[in-house]
Amino acid sequence: PETLLGGELGLAYAPPASVFADRASSSLALRATVYENHLSDAVANVTLDPATRERHNLDSTRVRGLELGGRFSPATLPSLRLDFDYLLSDARVRSAGASAGPAAAALDGRRLAQVPRHTLAVGATWQATPALALDLTTRWTSAQFEDDLNTLRLAPASRTDLAVSYALTPRLR
């Protein structure tokens, strides 16, 4: 079984309404979190030769990073909410171990497969009427690797989502 030992430290900031005295209904919230996780016996696809990959347990991996986020609603348009989130993730093999096969030593220090280093999401929500809401979010991820040897690079990618919701009743949307 995989075993995780980790920790995080976070700060959240939301100034009192008096900061926006001239814009009474504006709201702002910011947050930041740093974290570090050590995962023992993580399951990963390990390259045995150019044509073969198998699932093996890696002795030790480490994931550390930073999360930043915020939300803002302007007083001039209180039905609008703007959001942003950023994630920096440094996910690496610390020790592949003998169970990962003969190429295990080549994995030490490499980035974990399919984990982008940077992720950014920005969005806006507009409450058009008490019943109708529109939500637009774009998420971008930096390049990542498809394989454990960090040779098959996946290009950065982005995705945009649009959601429209309508409240049929107070409990059904």
Side-chain angles (χ1 to χ4, degrees):
E2 297 175 331
T3 305
L4 174 72
L5 175 63
E8 63 181 54
L9 176 65
L11 297 171
Y13 173 74
S18 62
V19 170
F20 295 107
D22 59 330
R23 301 167 61 194
S25 64
S26 286
S27 67
L28 171 73
L30 300 171
R31 63 189 180 286
T33 303
V34 293
Y35 64 92
E36 184 159 341
N37 295 312
H38 296 268
L39 188 60
S40 301
D41 296 318
V43 177
N45 289 322
V46 175
T47 302
L48 301 180
D49 60 54
T52 310
R53 281 194 215 160
E54 284 185 355
R55 294 181 69 72
H56 286 272
N57 289 78
L58 303 176
D59 281 354
S60 177
T61 61
R62 185 209 65 226
V63 181
R64 62 180 164 193
L66 168 71
E67 296 178 49
L68 301 172
R71 173 174 284 176
F72 178 69
S73 293
T76 55
L77 191 56
S79 60
L80 178 67
R81 187 185 77 218
L82 305 172
D83 296 288
F84 85 92
D85 290 289
Y86 169 74
L87 172 64
L88 168 66
S89 179
D90 182 25
R92 296 190 180 271
V93 177
R94 292 183 64 205
S95 171
S99 65
L107 300 181
D108 293 352
R110 296 199 187 268
R111 289 180 42 198
L112 291 177
Q114 302 174 1
V115 179
R117 187 164 172 78
H118 304 279
T119 303
L120 176 66
V122 293
T125 301
W126 178 45
Q127 191 70 45
T129 69
L132 179 66
L134 294 111
D135 185 35
L136 180 67
T137 303
T138 296
R139 178 184 169 98
W140 173 85
T141 57
S142 66
Q144 55 192 300
F145 293 102
E146 172 62 22
D147 66 325
D148 59 324
L149 296 175
N150 295 174
T151 58
L152 301 172
R153 184 178 181 271
L154 299 173
S158 62
R159 178 184 86 200
T160 299
D161 296 317
L162 173 64
V164 178
S165 62
Y166 187 82
L168 299 171
T169 71
R171 294 185 175 193
L172 180 61
R173 182 169 285 276

Short mmCIF file of all heavy atoms in Angstrom, two decimals, residues 80-140:
data_model
loop_
_atom_site.label_atom_id
_atom_site.label_comp_id
_atom_site.label_asym_id
_atom_site.label_seq_id
_atom_site.Cartn_x
_atom_site.Cartn_y
_atom_site.Cartn_z
N LEU A 80 -21.22 39.90 -10.28
CA LEU A 80 -20.06 39.31 -10.93
C LEU A 80 -19.03 38.88 -9.89
O LEU A 80 -18.74 39.62 -8.94
CB LEU A 80 -19.42 40.31 -11.89
CG LEU A 80 -18.17 39.85 -12.63
CD1 LEU A 80 -18.51 38.74 -13.62
CD2 LEU A 80 -17.52 41.02 -13.34
N ARG A 81 -18.49 37.69 -10.06
CA ARG A 81 -17.42 37.20 -9.19
C ARG A 81 -16.27 36.73 -10.07
O ARG A 81 -16.47 35.97 -11.01
CB ARG A 81 -17.91 36.05 -8.32
CG ARG A 81 -16.88 35.62 -7.28
CD ARG A 81 -17.33 34.41 -6.51
NE ARG A 81 -17.15 33.23 -7.36
CZ ARG A 81 -17.99 32.20 -7.41
NH1 ARG A 81 -19.07 32.20 -6.68
NH2 ARG A 81 -17.76 31.18 -8.21
N LEU A 82 -15.05 37.19 -9.77
CA LEU A 82 -13.86 36.80 -10.51
C LEU A 82 -13.01 35.91 -9.61
O LEU A 82 -12.81 36.22 -8.43
CB LEU A 82 -13.06 38.03 -10.94
CG LEU A 82 -13.84 39.07 -11.74
CD1 LEU A 82 -13.01 40.32 -11.93
CD2 LEU A 82 -14.28 38.50 -13.07
N ASP A 83 -12.50 34.80 -10.16
CA ASP A 83 -11.71 33.85 -9.39
C ASP A 83 -10.40 33.55 -10.11
O ASP A 83 -10.35 33.56 -11.35
CB ASP A 83 -12.45 32.51 -9.24
CG ASP A 83 -13.73 32.63 -8.47
OD1 ASP A 83 -13.67 32.82 -7.25
OD2 ASP A 83 -14.80 32.53 -9.10
N PHE A 84 -9.35 33.28 -9.33
CA PHE A 84 -8.12 32.76 -9.92
C PHE A 84 -7.49 31.77 -8.95
O PHE A 84 -7.62 31.88 -7.73
CB PHE A 84 -7.13 33.88 -10.28
CG PHE A 84 -6.25 34.30 -9.13
CD1 PHE A 84 -5.01 33.70 -8.93
CD2 PHE A 84 -6.65 35.29 -8.27
CE1 PHE A 84 -4.21 34.08 -7.87
CE2 PHE A 84 -5.84 35.68 -7.21
CZ PHE A 84 -4.61 35.07 -7.01
N ASP A 85 -6.84 30.76 -9.51
CA ASP A 85 -6.12 29.75 -8.74
C ASP A 85 -4.85 29.39 -9.49
O ASP A 85 -4.88 29.23 -10.72
CB ASP A 85 -6.97 28.49 -8.55
CG ASP A 85 -8.13 28.72 -7.61
OD1 ASP A 85 -7.88 28.87 -6.40
OD2 ASP A 85 -9.27 28.77 -8.09
N TYR A 86 -3.75 29.27 -8.75
CA TYR A 86 -2.47 28.88 -9.34
C TYR A 86 -1.87 27.78 -8.48
O TYR A 86 -1.93 27.84 -7.25
CB TYR A 86 -1.51 30.08 -9.39
CG TYR A 86 -0.11 29.68 -9.75
CD1 TYR A 86 0.23 29.32 -11.05
CD2 TYR A 86 0.89 29.64 -8.78
CE1 TYR A 86 1.51 28.93 -11.39
CE2 TYR A 86 2.17 29.25 -9.11
CZ TYR A 86 2.49 28.90 -10.40
OH TYR A 86 3.76 28.51 -10.72
N LEU A 87 -1.29 26.79 -9.13
CA LEU A 87 -0.64 25.69 -8.44
C LEU A 87 0.74 25.47 -9.03
O LEU A 87 0.88 25.29 -10.25
CB LEU A 87 -1.46 24.41 -8.57
CG LEU A 87 -0.82 23.12 -8.04
CD1 LEU A 87 -0.59 23.19 -6.53
CD2 LEU A 87 -1.67 21.92 -8.41
N LEU A 88 1.76 25.51 -8.19
CA LEU A 88 3.13 25.13 -8.55
C LEU A 88 3.39 23.80 -7.87
O LEU A 88 3.26 23.70 -6.64
CB LEU A 88 4.14 26.17 -8.07
CG LEU A 88 5.61 25.76 -8.14
CD1 LEU A 88 6.05 25.58 -9.58
CD2 LEU A 88 6.47 26.78 -7.43
N SER A 89 3.71 22.77 -8.65
CA SER A 89 3.90 21.43 -8.10
C SER A 89 5.23 20.86 -8.58
O SER A 89 5.43 20.68 -9.78
CB SER A 89 2.75 20.53 -8.53
OG SER A 89 2.94 19.23 -8.03
N ASP A 90 6.13 20.58 -7.64
CA ASP A 90 7.40 19.93 -7.96
C ASP A 90 7.28 18.49 -7.46
O ASP A 90 7.45 18.22 -6.28
CB ASP A 90 8.56 20.66 -7.29
CG ASP A 90 9.90 20.05 -7.65
OD1 ASP A 90 10.02 19.42 -8.72
OD2 ASP A 90 10.85 20.20 -6.85
N ALA A 91 6.95 17.58 -8.38
CA ALA A 91 6.71 16.17 -8.03
C ALA A 91 7.83 15.33 -8.63
O ALA A 91 7.97 15.24 -9.85
CB ALA A 91 5.35 15.73 -8.59
N ARG A 92 8.63 14.70 -7.74
CA ARG A 92 9.82 13.98 -8.21
C ARG A 92 9.97 12.62 -7.54
O ARG A 92 9.53 12.42 -6.40
CB ARG A 92 11.07 14.79 -7.93
CG ARG A 92 11.08 16.09 -8.70
CD ARG A 92 12.41 16.80 -8.62
NE ARG A 92 12.35 18.03 -9.38
CZ ARG A 92 12.64 18.12 -10.67
NH1 ARG A 92 13.03 17.06 -11.33
NH2 ARG A 92 12.55 19.27 -11.29
N VAL A 93 10.64 11.73 -8.25
CA VAL A 93 11.03 10.44 -7.69
C VAL A 93 12.26 10.69 -6.83
O VAL A 93 13.24 11.27 -7.29
CB VAL A 93 11.36 9.42 -8.81
CG1 VAL A 93 11.84 8.10 -8.20
CG2 VAL A 93 10.15 9.19 -9.70
N ARG A 94 12.21 10.29 -5.58
CA ARG A 94 13.39 10.41 -4.71
C ARG A 94 14.21 9.14 -4.77
O ARG A 94 15.43 9.18 -4.75
CB ARG A 94 12.96 10.71 -3.28
CG ARG A 94 12.36 12.11 -3.17
CD ARG A 94 11.99 12.48 -1.77
NE ARG A 94 13.17 12.56 -0.93
CZ ARG A 94 13.16 12.39 0.39
NH1 ARG A 94 12.02 12.15 0.99
NH2 ARG A 94 14.25 12.48 1.09
N SER A 95 13.54 8.00 -4.81
CA SER A 95 14.23 6.72 -4.90
C SER A 95 13.27 5.72 -5.53
O SER A 95 12.21 5.46 -4.99
CB SER A 95 14.66 6.24 -3.52
OG SER A 95 15.14 4.92 -3.59
N ALA A 96 13.66 5.19 -6.68
CA ALA A 96 12.80 4.22 -7.35
C ALA A 96 12.87 2.86 -6.67
O ALA A 96 11.87 2.16 -6.57
CB ALA A 96 13.19 4.09 -8.82
N GLY A 97 14.03 2.47 -6.19
CA GLY A 97 14.18 1.20 -5.49
C GLY A 97 14.32 0.03 -6.44
O GLY A 97 14.01 0.10 -7.63
N ALA A 98 14.80 -1.07 -5.91
CA ALA A 98 15.06 -2.27 -6.71
C ALA A 98 13.78 -2.87 -7.28
O ALA A 98 13.80 -3.49 -8.34
CB ALA A 98 15.80 -3.30 -5.86
N SER A 99 12.66 -2.71 -6.61
CA SER A 99 11.41 -3.32 -7.08
C SER A 99 10.95 -2.71 -8.40
O SER A 99 10.12 -3.28 -9.09
CB SER A 99 10.32 -3.18 -6.03
OG SER A 99 9.99 -1.82 -5.85
N ALA A 100 11.49 -1.54 -8.76
CA ALA A 100 11.09 -0.87 -10.00
C ALA A 100 11.85 -1.42 -11.21
O ALA A 100 11.65 -0.95 -12.32
CB ALA A 100 11.30 0.62 -9.89
N GLY A 101 12.71 -2.39 -11.00
CA GLY A 101 13.39 -3.02 -12.13
C GLY A 101 14.79 -2.49 -12.33
O GLY A 101 15.27 -1.62 -11.61
N PRO A 102 15.49 -3.02 -13.35
CA PRO A 102 16.89 -2.69 -13.58
C PRO A 102 17.14 -1.23 -13.94
O PRO A 102 18.22 -0.71 -13.72
CB PRO A 102 17.30 -3.61 -14.72
CG PRO A 102 16.05 -4.10 -15.34
CD PRO A 102 14.99 -4.01 -14.29
N ALA A 103 16.16 -0.52 -14.48
CA ALA A 103 16.34 0.87 -14.87
C ALA A 103 15.98 1.84 -13.74
O ALA A 103 15.91 3.04 -13.95
CB ALA A 103 15.50 1.17 -16.10
N ALA A 104 15.78 1.32 -12.54
CA ALA A 104 15.29 2.14 -11.42
C ALA A 104 16.18 3.33 -11.11
O ALA A 104 15.69 4.42 -10.84
CB ALA A 104 15.13 1.27 -10.18
N ALA A 105 17.48 3.16 -11.15
CA ALA A 105 18.39 4.26 -10.81
C ALA A 105 18.20 5.46 -11.74
O ALA A 105 18.40 6.60 -11.34
CB ALA A 105 19.83 3.77 -10.84
N ALA A 106 17.78 5.20 -12.98
CA ALA A 106 17.58 6.29 -13.94
C ALA A 106 16.39 7.17 -13.58
O ALA A 106 16.25 8.27 -14.10
CB ALA A 106 17.40 5.71 -15.34
N LEU A 107 15.52 6.70 -12.69
CA LEU A 107 14.32 7.47 -12.32
C LEU A 107 14.58 8.47 -11.19
O LEU A 107 13.85 9.44 -11.06
CB LEU A 107 13.20 6.52 -11.90
CG LEU A 107 12.73 5.52 -12.94
CD1 LEU A 107 11.59 4.69 -12.38
CD2 LEU A 107 12.33 6.19 -14.23
N ASP A 108 15.59 8.22 -10.38
CA ASP A 108 15.85 9.08 -9.23
C ASP A 108 16.04 10.53 -9.67
O ASP A 108 16.84 10.83 -10.55
CB ASP A 108 17.07 8.59 -8.45
CG ASP A 108 16.85 7.25 -7.78
OD1 ASP A 108 15.70 6.77 -7.80
OD2 ASP A 108 17.81 6.69 -7.24
N GLY A 109 15.26 11.44 -9.07
CA GLY A 109 15.34 12.86 -9.38
C GLY A 109 14.45 13.29 -10.54
O GLY A 109 14.27 14.49 -10.77
N ARG A 110 13.88 12.37 -11.28
CA ARG A 110 13.03 12.73 -12.42
C ARG A 110 11.65 13.16 -11.94
O ARG A 110 11.19 12.79 -10.87
CB ARG A 110 12.90 11.57 -13.39
CG ARG A 110 14.24 11.21 -14.03
CD ARG A 110 14.04 10.40 -15.27
NE ARG A 110 15.29 9.91 -15.78
CZ ARG A 110 16.03 10.54 -16.68
NH1 ARG A 110 15.62 11.68 -17.17
NH2 ARG A 110 17.17 10.02 -17.10
N ARG A 111 10.98 13.95 -12.78
CA ARG A 111 9.61 14.38 -12.45
C ARG A 111 8.65 13.22 -12.61
O ARG A 111 8.85 12.35 -13.45
CB ARG A 111 9.21 15.53 -13.37
CG ARG A 111 9.96 16.81 -13.01
CD ARG A 111 9.64 18.00 -13.86
NE ARG A 111 8.24 18.15 -14.16
CZ ARG A 111 7.80 18.92 -15.15
NH1 ARG A 111 8.62 19.57 -15.93
NH2 ARG A 111 6.51 19.02 -15.38
N LEU A 112 7.62 13.21 -11.78
CA LEU A 112 6.59 12.18 -11.91
C LEU A 112 5.83 12.37 -13.21
O LEU A 112 5.53 13.50 -13.61
CB LEU A 112 5.61 12.24 -10.74
CG LEU A 112 6.16 11.82 -9.38
CD1 LEU A 112 5.09 12.00 -8.31
CD2 LEU A 112 6.64 10.39 -9.41
N ALA A 113 5.52 11.27 -13.85
CA ALA A 113 4.79 11.32 -15.11
C ALA A 113 3.40 11.92 -14.91
O ALA A 113 2.75 11.71 -13.89
CB ALA A 113 4.66 9.91 -15.68
N GLN A 114 2.97 12.69 -15.90
CA GLN A 114 1.62 13.24 -15.99
C GLN A 114 1.27 14.22 -14.88
O GLN A 114 0.10 14.40 -14.53
CB GLN A 114 0.58 12.11 -16.06
CG GLN A 114 0.82 11.20 -17.23
CD GLN A 114 -0.10 10.00 -17.24
OE1 GLN A 114 -0.95 9.83 -16.37
NE2 GLN A 114 0.06 9.15 -18.23
N VAL A 115 2.30 14.88 -14.33
CA VAL A 115 2.07 15.91 -13.32
C VAL A 115 2.65 17.22 -13.84
O VAL A 115 3.87 17.37 -13.91
CB VAL A 115 2.73 15.56 -11.96
CG1 VAL A 115 2.50 16.67 -10.95
CG2 VAL A 115 2.21 14.23 -11.44
N PRO A 116 1.80 18.18 -14.25
CA PRO A 116 2.34 19.45 -14.74
C PRO A 116 2.96 20.25 -13.61
O PRO A 116 2.54 20.15 -12.46
CB PRO A 116 1.11 20.16 -15.30
CG PRO A 116 -0.04 19.56 -14.57
CD PRO A 116 0.35 18.14 -14.25
N ARG A 117 3.97 21.03 -13.93
CA ARG A 117 4.63 21.86 -12.91
C ARG A 117 3.76 23.07 -12.55
O ARG A 117 3.73 23.50 -11.42
CB ARG A 117 5.99 22.30 -13.42
CG ARG A 117 6.83 23.01 -12.41
CD ARG A 117 8.29 23.07 -12.84
NE ARG A 117 9.08 23.90 -11.98
CZ ARG A 117 9.54 23.56 -10.79
NH1 ARG A 117 9.27 22.38 -10.30
NH2 ARG A 117 10.25 24.40 -10.08
N HIS A 118 3.06 23.64 -13.54
CA HIS A 118 2.22 24.83 -13.31
C HIS A 118 0.80 24.56 -13.78
O HIS A 118 0.59 23.99 -14.86
CB HIS A 118 2.76 26.03 -14.10
CG HIS A 118 4.18 26.36 -13.82
ND1 HIS A 118 4.57 27.09 -12.72
CD2 HIS A 118 5.33 26.04 -14.48
CE1 HIS A 118 5.88 27.22 -12.73
NE2 HIS A 118 6.37 26.58 -13.78
N THR A 119 -0.16 25.01 -12.99
CA THR A 119 -1.56 24.97 -13.37
C THR A 119 -2.18 26.31 -12.99
O THR A 119 -1.98 26.80 -11.88
CB THR A 119 -2.30 23.83 -12.64
OG1 THR A 119 -1.66 22.59 -12.93
CG2 THR A 119 -3.75 23.74 -13.07
N LEU A 120 -2.91 26.90 -13.91
CA LEU A 120 -3.55 28.19 -13.67
C LEU A 120 -5.01 28.10 -14.11
O LEU A 120 -5.31 27.59 -15.19
CB LEU A 120 -2.84 29.29 -14.48
CG LEU A 120 -3.44 30.69 -14.40
CD1 LEU A 120 -3.32 31.25 -12.99
CD2 LEU A 120 -2.77 31.60 -15.41
N ALA A 121 -5.90 28.59 -13.27
CA ALA A 121 -7.32 28.63 -13.61
C ALA A 121 -7.84 30.04 -13.31
O ALA A 121 -7.56 30.60 -12.25
CB ALA A 121 -8.11 27.60 -12.81
N VAL A 122 -8.57 30.59 -14.26
CA VAL A 122 -9.21 31.90 -14.08
C VAL A 122 -10.66 31.74 -14.49
O VAL A 122 -10.98 30.99 -15.42
CB VAL A 122 -8.52 33.02 -14.87
CG1 VAL A 122 -7.14 33.30 -14.34
CG2 VAL A 122 -8.47 32.72 -16.35
N GLY A 123 -11.52 32.45 -13.79
CA GLY A 123 -12.93 32.30 -14.11
C GLY A 123 -13.75 33.49 -13.68
O GLY A 123 -13.30 34.34 -12.92
N ALA A 124 -14.96 33.50 -14.19
CA ALA A 124 -15.93 34.54 -13.84
C ALA A 124 -17.30 33.89 -13.73
O ALA A 124 -17.66 33.02 -14.52
CB ALA A 124 -15.95 35.63 -14.90
N THR A 125 -18.03 34.32 -12.72
CA THR A 125 -19.41 33.87 -12.54
C THR A 125 -20.29 35.10 -12.52
O THR A 125 -20.02 36.06 -11.80
CB THR A 125 -19.57 33.08 -11.23
OG1 THR A 125 -18.71 31.95 -11.27
CG2 THR A 125 -21.00 32.63 -11.02
N TRP A 126 -21.35 35.07 -13.30
CA TRP A 126 -22.30 36.18 -13.36
C TRP A 126 -23.67 35.65 -12.99
O TRP A 126 -24.20 34.75 -13.63
CB TRP A 126 -22.31 36.79 -14.75
CG TRP A 126 -23.29 37.91 -14.90
CD1 TRP A 126 -23.51 38.94 -14.05
CD2 TRP A 126 -24.18 38.11 -16.00
NE1 TRP A 126 -24.49 39.78 -14.53
CE2 TRP A 126 -24.91 39.29 -15.74
CE3 TRP A 126 -24.42 37.40 -17.18
CZ2 TRP A 126 -25.87 39.77 -16.61
CZ3 TRP A 126 -25.39 37.90 -18.05
CH2 TRP A 126 -26.09 39.07 -17.77
N GLN A 127 -24.24 36.21 -11.95
CA GLN A 127 -25.60 35.87 -11.53
C GLN A 127 -26.51 36.84 -12.26
O GLN A 127 -26.81 37.93 -11.77
CB GLN A 127 -25.73 36.00 -10.00
CG GLN A 127 -27.00 35.43 -9.44
CD GLN A 127 -27.02 33.91 -9.51
OE1 GLN A 127 -26.06 33.25 -9.18
NE2 GLN A 127 -28.15 33.37 -9.93
N ALA A 128 -26.94 36.45 -13.47
CA ALA A 128 -27.71 37.34 -14.34
C ALA A 128 -29.05 37.73 -13.72
O ALA A 128 -29.48 38.89 -13.80
CB ALA A 128 -27.93 36.67 -15.70
N THR A 129 -29.73 36.75 -13.13
CA THR A 129 -30.99 36.99 -12.41
C THR A 129 -30.91 36.11 -11.16
O THR A 129 -30.01 35.28 -11.04
CB THR A 129 -32.21 36.57 -13.26
OG1 THR A 129 -32.22 35.15 -13.39
CG2 THR A 129 -32.18 37.22 -14.64
N PRO A 130 -31.84 36.23 -10.24
CA PRO A 130 -31.81 35.35 -9.08
C PRO A 130 -31.83 33.87 -9.46
O PRO A 130 -31.31 33.02 -8.73
CB PRO A 130 -33.05 35.75 -8.28
CG PRO A 130 -33.26 37.18 -8.63
CD PRO A 130 -32.87 37.28 -10.09
N ALA A 131 -32.37 33.53 -10.63
CA ALA A 131 -32.46 32.13 -11.02
C ALA A 131 -31.40 31.71 -12.05
O ALA A 131 -31.04 30.54 -12.12
CB ALA A 131 -33.84 31.84 -11.60
N LEU A 132 -30.87 32.65 -12.83
CA LEU A 132 -29.97 32.33 -13.94
C LEU A 132 -28.53 32.72 -13.63
O LEU A 132 -28.26 33.87 -13.26
CB LEU A 132 -30.43 33.07 -15.21
CG LEU A 132 -29.59 32.88 -16.46
CD1 LEU A 132 -29.65 31.42 -16.94
CD2 LEU A 132 -30.05 33.83 -17.55
N ALA A 133 -27.61 31.77 -13.80
CA ALA A 133 -26.19 32.04 -13.57
C ALA A 133 -25.37 31.52 -14.74
O ALA A 133 -25.67 30.46 -15.31
CB ALA A 133 -25.72 31.38 -12.28
N LEU A 134 -24.32 32.26 -15.09
CA LEU A 134 -23.37 31.84 -16.12
C LEU A 134 -21.98 31.78 -15.49
O LEU A 134 -21.60 32.69 -14.75
CB LEU A 134 -23.37 32.83 -17.29
CG LEU A 134 -24.68 32.86 -18.06
CD1 LEU A 134 -25.37 34.18 -17.81
CD2 LEU A 134 -24.40 32.65 -19.51
N ASP A 135 -21.27 30.72 -15.82
CA ASP A 135 -19.94 30.51 -15.25
C ASP A 135 -18.98 30.17 -16.38
O ASP A 135 -19.22 29.23 -17.15
CB ASP A 135 -20.00 29.36 -14.23
CG ASP A 135 -18.70 29.16 -13.49
OD1 ASP A 135 -18.01 30.15 -13.21
OD2 ASP A 135 -18.37 27.99 -13.21
N LEU A 136 -17.89 30.93 -16.50
CA LEU A 136 -16.88 30.71 -17.53
C LEU A 136 -15.54 30.51 -16.83
O LEU A 136 -15.12 31.37 -16.04
CB LEU A 136 -16.81 31.91 -18.48
CG LEU A 136 -15.79 31.83 -19.60
CD1 LEU A 136 -16.18 30.74 -20.60
CD2 LEU A 136 -15.66 33.17 -20.30
N THR A 137 -14.87 29.39 -17.10
CA THR A 137 -13.59 29.08 -16.47
C THR A 137 -12.61 28.57 -17.52
O THR A 137 -12.97 27.73 -18.34
CB THR A 137 -13.75 28.01 -15.37
OG1 THR A 137 -14.70 28.47 -14.41
CG2 THR A 137 -12.42 27.73 -14.67
N THR A 138 -11.39 29.08 -17.48
CA THR A 138 -10.32 28.59 -18.34
C THR A 138 -9.22 28.04 -17.44
O THR A 138 -8.81 28.69 -16.47
CB THR A 138 -9.76 29.69 -19.25
OG1 THR A 138 -10.79 30.12 -20.13
CG2 THR A 138 -8.58 29.20 -20.06
N ARG A 139 -8.76 26.85 -17.78
CA ARG A 139 -7.71 26.17 -17.01
C ARG A 139 -6.56 25.86 -17.96
O ARG A 139 -6.77 25.32 -19.05
CB ARG A 139 -8.26 24.89 -16.41
CG ARG A 139 -7.27 24.08 -15.63
CD ARG A 139 -7.95 22.79 -15.17
NE ARG A 139 -7.01 21.85 -14.64
CZ ARG A 139 -6.77 21.69 -13.35
NH1 ARG A 139 -7.42 22.40 -12.46
NH2 ARG A 139 -5.89 20.80 -12.94
N TRP A 140 -5.33 26.21 -17.55
CA TRP A 140 -4.13 25.98 -18.35
C TRP A 140 -3.16 25.14 -17.53
O TRP A 140 -2.99 25.37 -16.33
CB TRP A 140 -3.49 27.31 -18.72
CG TRP A 140 -2.16 27.18 -19.39
CD1 TRP A 140 -1.93 26.99 -20.72
CD2 TRP A 140 -0.88 27.23 -18.77
NE1 TRP A 140 -0.58 26.90 -20.95
CE2 TRP A 140 0.09 27.06 -19.77
CE3 TRP A 140 -0.46 27.41 -17.45
CZ2 TRP A 140 1.45 27.05 -19.50
CZ3 TRP A 140 0.90 27.40 -17.18
CH2 TRP A 140 1.84 27.23 -18.20
#
